[in-house]
Amino acid sequence: MVQQVTKGIKISVETTFEGSFYKNYKIQYAFGYTITIENQSKDSVQLNARHWEILDALNNLETVTGEGVIGKKPVLAPGQSHTYSSGCLLTSPFGAMQGHYGMVNLNTAQKFQVTIPTFKLSAPFAIN
């Protein structure tokens, strides 16, 4: 598990290898990840946006931005957490993801970014 706290918001990430398959005559490696966002601050916050940078071992970079996470914009009161699972496909058996969430402090209306720590995606057979 990888964890990081930014401005009182703790991000924890766990990853899994889901398997491989062929798509359009190219092998794809499927990875899952579960993220827990925990509000350790004294203010209520809302997650409004996400930004991801996904890099595989072949140096292919994919950038993904959008609103919320899996169709939601969770509001977290102090002490609350939100957990969700998602996934990605790589063209190599290992890579990494990193990014940030766009948040807003609901008490002050101030916008801020929360770092998503870099986490590795590795197929078990590719680890040496």
Side-chain angles (χ1 to χ4, degrees):
M1 178 183 300
V2 176
Q3 299 180 327
Q4 183 167 337
V5 178
T6 307
K7 296 185 179 178
I9 309 301
K10 180 179 179 181
I11 306 297
S12 303
V13 185
E14 293 187 56
T15 63
T16 57
F17 175 64
E18 302 293 334
S20 59
F21 62 94
Y22 282 92
K23 180 180 176 184
N24 298 330
Y25 305 103
K26 291 175 85 176
I27 193 164
Q28 300 282 302
Y29 299 91
F31 295 91
Y33 55 89
T34 299
I35 296 185
T36 299
I37 305 159
E38 182 182 348
N39 184 359
Q40 297 179 337
S41 76
K42 60 179 177 36
D43 296 329
S44 293
V45 299
Q46 183 174 24
L47 188 156
N48 288 323
R50 70 188 182 285
H51 174 87
W52 286 109
E53 294 174 358
I54 307 164
L55 185 66
D56 70 14
L58 303 174
N59 235 9
N60 296 316
L61 176 66
E62 180 182 0
T63 301
V64 178
T65 58
E67 290 189 6
V69 290
I70 61 167
K72 298 179 182 175
K73 293 182 178 180
V75 172
L76 302 172
Q80 287 186 326
S81 64
H82 177 78
T83 300
Y84 73 96
S85 296
S86 190
C88 71
L89 297 174
L90 298 181
T91 55
S92 67
F94 54 94
M97 290 178 67
Q98 66 180 14
H100 63 263
Y101 294 123
M103 311 279 284
V104 64
N105 180 316
L106 297 177
N107 296 3
T108 65
Q110 185 173 6
K111 294 180 180 181
F112 63 101
Q113 287 186 354
V114 172
T115 300
I116 304 166
T118 301
F119 56 94
K120 296 179 181 176
L121 304 167
S122 300
F125 63 82
I127 299 173
N128 195 359

